[in-house]
Amino acid sequence: MSEIKITTSQTEIIEARIVPKSSCYIIEIVYEKEEETTENQQVAGVDLGVNNLIAVTTNQTGISPKHD
């Protein structure tokens, strides 16, 4: 329907969305990516919150929050 072509390195695209904005269109390409394993790696996650200032979690054993 259009001669516009968008190149991508992905071979199996699940979904393509065209989102209208006030002065342009945003094109979103949805595809699946296999998760990287975190085996034998130390990982921490940080979430900036609305009700709480921050929430932190880790996969390291023996780590506990310090209270003052």
Side-chain angles (χ1 to χ4, degrees):
M1 304 239 249
S2 171
E3 293 188 24
I4 298 172
K5 296 190 188 304
I6 300 170
T7 57
T8 178
S9 61
Q10 300 304 316
T11 56
E12 294 188 33
I13 295 173
I14 296 172
E15 182 180 359
R17 296 186 285 242
I18 300 174
V19 182
K21 296 293 180 180
S22 61
S23 63
C24 64
Y25 291 93
I26 304 294
I27 299 173
E28 300 175 347
I29 306 297
V30 179
Y31 60 92
E32 286 186 7
K33 180 179 177 182
E34 195 165 317
E35 290 185 26
E36 298 177 17
T37 95
T38 58
E39 224 172 283
N40 299 323
Q41 293 181 356
Q42 297 176 350
V43 179
V46 178
D47 179 27
L48 300 176
V50 175
N51 296 327
N52 297 317
L53 177 62
I54 191 169
V56 180
T57 187
T58 181
N59 66 344
Q60 239 181 327
T61 57
I63 301 294
S64 62
K66 294 188 178 191
H67 300 279
D68 290 333

Coordinates of all heavy atoms in Angstrom, one line a residue:
M1 N 0.8 -1.2 0.0 CA 0.0 0.0 0.0 C 0.9 1.3 0.0 O 0.4 2.3 -0.3 CB -0.9 0.0 1.2 CG -1.8 -1.3 1.3 SD -3.5 -0.9 1.3 CE -3.9 -1.3 2.9
S2 N 2.1 1.1 0.4 CA 3.0 2.2 0.4 C 4.4 1.8 -0.1 O 4.8 0.6 0.0 CB 3.1 2.8 1.8 OG 4.1 3.8 1.9
E3 N 5.2 2.7 -0.6 CA 6.5 2.3 -1.0 C 7.6 2.6 0.1 O 8.8 2.5 -0.2 CB 6.9 3.1 -2.3 CG 6.0 2.6 -3.5 CD 6.4 3.3 -4.8 OE1 7.6 3.6 -4.9 OE2 5.6 3.4 -5.7
I4 N 7.1 2.9 1.3 CA 8.1 3.1 2.4 C 8.6 1.8 2.9 O 7.8 0.9 3.1 CB 7.4 3.9 3.6 CG1 6.9 5.2 3.1 CG2 8.3 4.0 4.7 CD1 6.0 5.9 4.1
K5 N 9.9 1.7 3.0 CA 10.5 0.4 3.5 C 11.4 0.8 4.7 O 12.1 1.8 4.7 CB 11.4 -0.2 2.4 CG 10.6 -0.6 1.2 CD 11.4 -1.5 0.2 CE 10.7 -1.8 -1.1 NZ 9.5 -2.4 -1.0
I6 N 11.3 -0.1 5.7 CA 12.1 0.1 6.9 C 12.9 -1.2 7.1 O 12.4 -2.3 7.2 CB 11.2 0.3 8.1 CG1 10.3 1.5 7.9 CG2 12.0 0.4 9.4 CD1 9.2 1.7 8.9
T7 N 14.3 -1.0 7.1 CA 15.1 -2.2 7.2 C 15.3 -2.5 8.7 O 15.4 -1.6 9.5 CB 16.5 -1.9 6.5 OG1 17.1 -0.7 7.2 CG2 16.4 -1.6 5.1
T8 N 15.4 -3.8 8.9 CA 15.7 -4.3 10.3 C 16.5 -5.5 10.2 O 16.4 -6.3 9.2 CB 14.3 -4.5 11.0 OG1 14.6 -5.0 12.3 CG2 13.4 -5.5 10.3
S9 N 17.2 -5.8 11.3 CA 18.0 -7.1 11.3 C 17.2 -8.3 11.8 O 17.7 -9.4 11.7 CB 19.2 -6.9 12.2 OG 18.8 -6.6 13.5
Q10 N 16.0 -8.0 12.2 CA 15.1 -9.1 12.7 C 14.5 -9.8 11.6 O 14.0 -9.2 10.6 CB 14.0 -8.5 13.6 CG 14.6 -7.8 14.8 CD 15.5 -8.6 15.7 OE1 15.2 -9.8 15.9 NE2 16.6 -8.1 16.0
T11 N 14.4 -11.2 11.7 CA 13.8 -12.0 10.6 C 12.4 -12.4 10.9 O 11.6 -12.6 10.0 CB 14.7 -13.2 10.4 OG1 14.8 -14.0 11.6 CG2 16.0 -12.9 9.9
E12 N 12.0 -12.5 12.2 CA 10.7 -12.9 12.6 C 10.0 -11.8 13.4 O 10.2 -11.7 14.6 CB 10.7 -14.2 13.4 CG 11.2 -15.3 12.5 CD 11.0 -16.7 13.3 OE1 10.1 -16.8 14.0 OE2 11.9 -17.5 13.1
I13 N 9.3 -10.9 12.7 CA 8.6 -9.8 13.4 C 7.2 -10.2 13.8 O 6.5 -10.8 13.0 CB 8.5 -8.6 12.4 CG1 9.9 -8.1 12.1 CG2 7.7 -7.5 13.0 CD1 10.0 -7.0 11.1
I14 N 6.9 -10.0 15.0 CA 5.6 -10.4 15.6 C 4.5 -9.4 15.2 O 3.4 -9.7 14.8 CB 5.7 -10.6 17.1 CG1 6.6 -11.7 17.4 CG2 4.3 -10.8 17.7 CD1 7.0 -11.8 18.9
E15 N 4.9 -8.1 15.3 CA 3.9 -7.1 15.2 C 4.5 -5.8 14.8 O 5.6 -5.5 15.2 CB 3.1 -6.9 16.5 CG 2.0 -5.9 16.5 CD 1.3 -5.8 17.8 OE1 1.7 -6.5 18.8 OE2 0.4 -5.0 17.9
A16 N 3.8 -5.0 14.0 CA 4.3 -3.6 13.6 C 3.1 -2.7 13.9 O 2.0 -3.0 13.5 CB 4.7 -3.5 12.2
R17 N 3.4 -1.6 14.7 CA 2.4 -0.7 15.0 C 2.7 0.7 14.5 O 3.9 1.1 14.6 CB 2.2 -0.6 16.6 CG 1.8 -1.9 17.2 CD 1.5 -1.7 18.7 NE 2.8 -1.6 19.4 CZ 3.2 -2.4 20.4 NH1 2.4 -3.5 20.7 NH2 4.3 -2.3 21.0
I18 N 1.7 1.4 14.0 CA 1.9 2.8 13.6 C 1.1 3.7 14.6 O -0.1 3.5 14.7 CB 1.4 3.0 12.2 CG1 2.2 2.1 11.2 CG2 1.5 4.5 11.8 CD1 1.8 2.2 9.8
V19 N 1.8 4.5 15.4 CA 1.2 5.3 16.4 C 1.2 6.7 16.0 O 2.2 7.4 15.8 CB 2.0 5.1 17.8 CG1 1.3 5.9 18.9 CG2 2.1 3.7 18.2
P20 N 0.0 7.3 15.8 CA -0.1 8.7 15.3 C 0.2 9.7 16.5 O -0.3 9.5 17.6 CB -1.5 8.9 14.8 CG -2.3 7.8 15.4 CD -1.3 6.7 15.8
K21 N 1.1 10.6 16.3 CA 1.3 11.7 17.2 C 0.8 13.0 16.6 O 0.3 13.0 15.5 CB 2.9 11.8 17.6 CG 3.4 10.5 18.2 CD 2.8 10.4 19.6 CE 3.4 9.2 20.3 NZ 2.9 9.0 21.6
S22 N 1.0 14.1 17.3 CA 0.5 15.4 16.8 C 1.0 15.8 15.5 O 0.3 16.3 14.7 CB 0.7 16.5 17.9 OG 2.0 16.7 18.1
S23 N 2.3 15.6 15.3 CA 2.9 16.1 14.0 C 3.7 15.0 13.3 O 4.4 15.3 12.3 CB 3.9 17.3 14.3 OG 4.9 16.8 15.2
C24 N 3.6 13.8 13.7 CA 4.3 12.7 13.0 C 3.7 11.3 13.4 O 2.7 11.3 14.1 CB 5.8 12.7 13.5 SG 6.1 12.4 15.2
Y25 N 4.3 10.3 12.9 CA 3.9 8.9 13.2 C 5.1 8.2 13.8 O 6.2 8.4 13.4 CB 3.4 8.2 12.0 CG 2.1 8.7 11.4 CD1 2.1 9.6 10.4 CD2 0.9 8.2 11.9 CE1 0.9 10.1 9.9 CE2 -0.3 8.7 11.4 CZ -0.3 9.6 10.4 OH -1.5 10.1 9.9
I26 N 4.8 7.4 14.8 CA 5.9 6.5 15.4 C 5.6 5.1 15.0 O 4.5 4.6 15.1 CB 5.9 6.6 17.0 CG1 6.0 8.0 17.5 CG2 6.9 5.7 17.6 CD1 7.3 8.7 17.2
I27 N 6.7 4.5 14.4 CA 6.5 3.1 14.0 C 7.2 2.2 15.0 O 8.4 2.4 15.3 CB 7.1 2.9 12.6 CG1 6.3 3.8 11.6 CG2 7.1 1.4 12.2 CD1 6.9 3.8 10.2
E28 N 6.5 1.3 15.6 CA 7.0 0.3 16.6 C 7.1 -1.1 16.0 O 6.1 -1.5 15.5 CB 6.2 0.3 17.8 CG 6.1 1.7 18.5 CD 5.1 1.7 19.7 OE1 4.3 0.7 19.8 OE2 5.1 2.7 20.4
I29 N 8.2 -1.7 16.1 CA 8.4 -3.1 15.6 C 8.6 -4.0 16.8 O 9.4 -3.7 17.7 CB 9.7 -3.2 14.7 CG1 9.6 -2.2 13.5 CG2 9.8 -4.6 14.2 CD1 8.5 -2.4 12.6
V30 N 7.7 -5.0 16.9 CA 7.7 -5.9 18.1 C 8.3 -7.3 17.6 O 7.9 -7.8 16.6 CB 6.3 -6.1 18.6 CG1 6.3 -7.1 19.8 CG2 5.7 -4.8 19.0
Y31 N 9.3 -7.7 18.4 CA 9.9 -9.0 18.1 C 10.3 -9.7 19.4 O 10.4 -9.0 20.4 CB 11.1 -8.9 17.2 CG 12.2 -8.1 17.7 CD1 13.3 -8.6 18.4 CD2 12.2 -6.7 17.5 CE1 14.3 -7.9 18.9 CE2 13.2 -5.9 18.0 CZ 14.3 -6.5 18.7 OH 15.3 -5.7 19.2
E32 N 10.6 -11.0 19.4 CA 11.0 -11.7 20.6 C 12.5 -11.8 20.6 O 13.1 -12.0 19.5 CB 10.4 -13.1 20.7 CG 8.9 -13.0 21.0 CD 8.3 -14.4 21.3 OE1 9.1 -15.4 21.2 OE2 7.1 -14.5 21.4
K33 N 13.1 -11.7 21.8 CA 14.5 -11.8 21.9 C 14.7 -12.8 23.1 O 14.1 -12.7 24.1 CB 15.2 -10.5 22.2 CG 16.7 -10.5 22.4 CD 17.2 -9.2 22.7 CE 18.7 -9.2 22.9 NZ 19.3 -7.9 23.2
E34 N 15.6 -13.8 22.9 CA 15.9 -14.7 23.9 C 16.6 -14.1 25.1 O 17.5 -13.3 24.9 CB 16.7 -15.9 23.4 CG 16.7 -17.1 24.3 CD 17.3 -18.3 23.6 OE1 16.9 -18.6 22.4 OE2 18.1 -19.0 24.2
E35 N 16.2 -14.4 26.3 CA 16.8 -13.8 27.5 C 18.2 -14.3 27.7 O 18.5 -15.5 27.4 CB 16.0 -14.1 28.7 CG 14.7 -13.4 28.8 CD 14.0 -13.7 30.1 OE1 14.7 -14.0 31.1 OE2 12.8 -13.7 30.1
E36 N 19.1 -13.4 28.1 CA 20.5 -13.8 28.5 C 20.4 -14.4 29.8 O 19.7 -14.0 30.7 CB 21.4 -12.6 28.5 CG 21.5 -11.9 27.1 CD 22.3 -10.6 27.2 OE1 23.1 -10.5 28.2 OE2 22.2 -9.8 26.3
T37 N 21.2 -15.4 30.0 CA 21.2 -16.1 31.4 C 22.1 -15.3 32.3 O 23.1 -14.6 31.9 CB 21.7 -17.5 31.3 OG1 23.1 -17.6 31.6 CG2 21.5 -18.2 30.0
T38 N 21.8 -15.3 33.5 CA 22.5 -14.6 34.6 C 23.2 -15.6 35.5 O 23.5 -15.3 36.7 CB 21.6 -13.7 35.4 OG1 20.6 -14.4 36.0 CG2 21.1 -12.6 34.5
E39 N 23.4 -16.8 35.0 CA 24.1 -17.8 35.8 C 25.5 -17.4 36.2 O 26.3 -16.9 35.4 CB 24.2 -19.1 35.0 CG 23.7 -20.4 35.8 CD 23.7 -21.6 34.9 OE1 22.7 -21.7 34.2 OE2 24.6 -22.4 35.0
N40 N 25.8 -17.5 37.5 CA 27.0 -17.2 38.1 C 27.4 -15.7 37.9 O 28.5 -15.3 37.8 CB 28.2 -18.0 37.5 CG 28.0 -19.5 37.8 OD1 27.5 -19.9 38.8 ND2 28.3 -20.3 36.8
Q41 N 26.4 -14.9 37.8 CA 26.6 -13.4 37.7 C 25.9 -12.8 38.9 O 24.8 -13.2 39.3 CB 26.0 -12.8 36.4 CG 26.8 -13.3 35.2 CD 26.2 -12.6 33.9 OE1 25.2 -11.9 34.0 NE2 26.8 -12.9 32.8
Q42 N 26.4 -11.7 39.4 CA 25.8 -10.9 40.4 C 25.0 -9.8 39.8 O 25.5 -9.0 39.0 CB 26.8 -10.4 41.4 CG 27.6 -11.4 42.1 CD 28.7 -10.8 43.0 OE1 29.0 -9.7 42.9 NE2 29.3 -11.7 43.8
V43 N 23.7 -9.8 40.1 CA 22.7 -8.9 39.4 C 21.9 -8.2 40.5 O 21.6 -8.8 41.5 CB 21.8 -9.7 38.5 CG1 20.8 -8.7 37.8 CG2 22.6 -10.4 37.4
A44 N 21.7 -6.9 40.3 CA 20.9 -6.1 41.2 C 19.8 -5.4 40.3 O 20.1 -5.0 39.2 CB 21.7 -5.1 42.0
G45 N 18.6 -5.2 40.9 CA 17.6 -4.5 40.2 C 17.1 -3.3 41.1 O 17.0 -3.4 42.3
V46 N 16.9 -2.2 40.4 CA 16.6 -0.9 41.1 C 15.3 -0.4 40.5 O 15.1 -0.4 39.3 CB 17.7 0.1 41.0 CG1 17.2 1.4 41.7 CG2 19.0 -0.4 41.6
D47 N 14.3 -0.1 41.4 CA 13.0 0.4 41.0 C 12.8 1.8 41.7 O 12.7 1.8 42.9 CB 11.9 -0.6 41.3 CG 10.5 -0.1 40.9 OD1 10.5 0.8 39.9 OD2 9.5 -0.5 41.5
L48 N 12.7 2.8 40.9 CA 12.4 4.1 41.5 C 10.8 4.2 41.7 O 10.1 4.0 40.7 CB 12.8 5.3 40.7 CG 14.4 5.3 40.5 CD1 14.7 6.4 39.5 CD2 15.1 5.5 41.8
G49 N 10.3 4.4 42.9 CA 8.9 4.3 43.1 C 8.2 5.6 43.3 O 8.8 6.7 43.3
V50 N 6.9 5.5 43.4 CA 6.0 6.6 43.7 C 5.8 6.7 45.2 O 6.0 7.8 45.7 CB 4.7 6.4 42.9 CG1 3.7 7.6 43.3 CG2 4.9 6.4 41.4
N51 N 5.4 5.6 45.8 CA 5.1 5.7 47.2 C 6.4 5.4 48.0 O 6.6 5.9 49.1 CB 4.1 4.6 47.6 CG 2.8 4.9 47.0 OD1 2.4 6.1 46.8 ND2 2.0 3.9 46.6
N52 N 7.3 4.6 47.5 CA 8.6 4.4 48.1 C 9.7 5.1 47.3 O 9.5 5.1 46.1 CB 9.0 2.9 48.2 CG 8.0 2.1 49.0 OD1 7.6 2.6 50.1 ND2 7.5 1.0 48.5
L53 N 10.7 5.6 47.9 CA 11.7 6.3 47.2 C 12.4 5.4 46.2 O 12.6 5.7 45.0 CB 12.7 7.0 48.1 CG 13.9 7.6 47.5 CD1 13.5 8.8 46.6 CD2 14.9 8.1 48.5
I54 N 12.8 4.2 46.7 CA 13.5 3.2 45.9 C 13.3 1.8 46.5 O 13.2 1.6 47.7 CB 15.0 3.6 45.8 CG1 15.8 2.8 44.8 CG2 15.7 3.4 47.2 CD1 17.2 3.3 44.5
A55 N 13.3 0.8 45.6 CA 13.3 -0.6 46.0 C 14.4 -1.3 45.2 O 14.7 -1.0 44.1 CB 12.0 -1.2 45.6
V56 N 15.2 -2.1 46.0 CA 16.4 -2.8 45.4 C 16.3 -4.2 45.7 O 15.9 -4.6 46.8 CB 17.7 -2.2 46.0 CG1 18.9 -2.9 45.4 CG2 17.8 -0.7 45.7
T57 N 16.7 -5.1 44.8 CA 16.7 -6.5 45.0 C 18.0 -7.0 44.3 O 18.5 -6.4 43.4 CB 15.5 -7.3 44.5 OG1 15.6 -8.6 44.9 CG2 15.4 -7.2 43.0
T58 N 18.5 -8.2 44.8 CA 19.7 -8.8 44.2 C 19.6 -10.3 44.3 O 18.9 -10.8 45.1 CB 21.0 -8.3 45.0 OG1 22.1 -8.9 44.4 CG2 21.0 -8.6 46.5
N59 N 20.4 -10.9 43.5 CA 20.5 -12.4 43.5 C 21.6 -12.9 44.4 O 21.9 -14.1 44.5 CB 20.6 -13.0 42.1 CG 21.9 -12.7 41.4 OD1 22.6 -11.8 41.8 ND2 22.2 -13.4 40.4
Q60 N 22.3 -12.0 45.1 CA 23.4 -12.3 46.0 C 22.9 -12.8 47.3 O 22.1 -12.2 47.9 CB 24.3 -11.1 46.2 CG 25.7 -11.3 45.8 CD 26.5 -10.0 46.1 OE1 26.0 -8.9 46.0 NE2 27.8 -10.2 46.4
T61 N 23.3 -14.0 47.7 CA 22.9 -14.5 49.0 C 23.7 -13.8 50.2 O 24.8 -13.4 50.0 CB 23.1 -16.0 49.1 OG1 24.4 -16.3 48.9 CG2 22.2 -16.7 48.1
G62 N 23.0 -13.7 51.3 CA 23.7 -13.1 52.5 C 23.7 -11.6 52.6 O 24.2 -11.0 53.5
I63 N 23.0 -11.0 51.6 CA 22.9 -9.5 51.6 C 21.6 -9.1 52.3 O 20.6 -9.6 51.9 CB 22.9 -8.9 50.2 CG1 24.2 -9.3 49.5 CG2 22.7 -7.4 50.2 CD1 25.5 -8.7 50.1
S64 N 21.7 -8.3 53.3 CA 20.5 -7.8 54.0 C 20.5 -6.3 54.1 O 21.6 -5.7 54.2 CB 20.3 -8.4 55.3 OG 21.4 -8.1 56.1
P65 N 19.3 -5.6 54.1 CA 19.3 -4.2 54.2 C 19.8 -3.7 55.6 O 19.6 -4.4 56.6 CB 17.9 -3.8 54.0 CG 17.1 -5.0 54.2 CD 18.0 -6.2 53.9
K66 N 20.5 -2.6 55.6 CA 21.0 -2.0 56.9 C 20.0 -1.0 57.3 O 19.5 -0.2 56.5 CB 22.3 -1.4 56.7 CG 23.4 -2.4 56.4 CD 24.8 -1.9 56.4 CE 25.7 -3.0 56.1 NZ 27.1 -2.6 56.3
H67 N 19.7 -1.0 58.6 CA 18.7 0.0 59.2 C 19.5 0.9 60.2 O 20.3 0.4 60.9 CB 17.6 -0.7 60.0 CG 16.8 -1.7 59.1 ND1 15.8 -1.2 58.3 CD2 16.9 -3.0 58.9 CE1 15.3 -2.2 57.7 NE2 15.9 -3.3 58.1
D68 N 19.3 2.2 60.1 CA 19.9 3.1 61.0 C 18.9 3.6 62.0 O 17.8 3.8 61.8 CB 20.6 4.3 60.3 CG 21.8 3.8 59.5 OD1 22.4 2.8 59.9 OD2 22.1 4.4 58.5

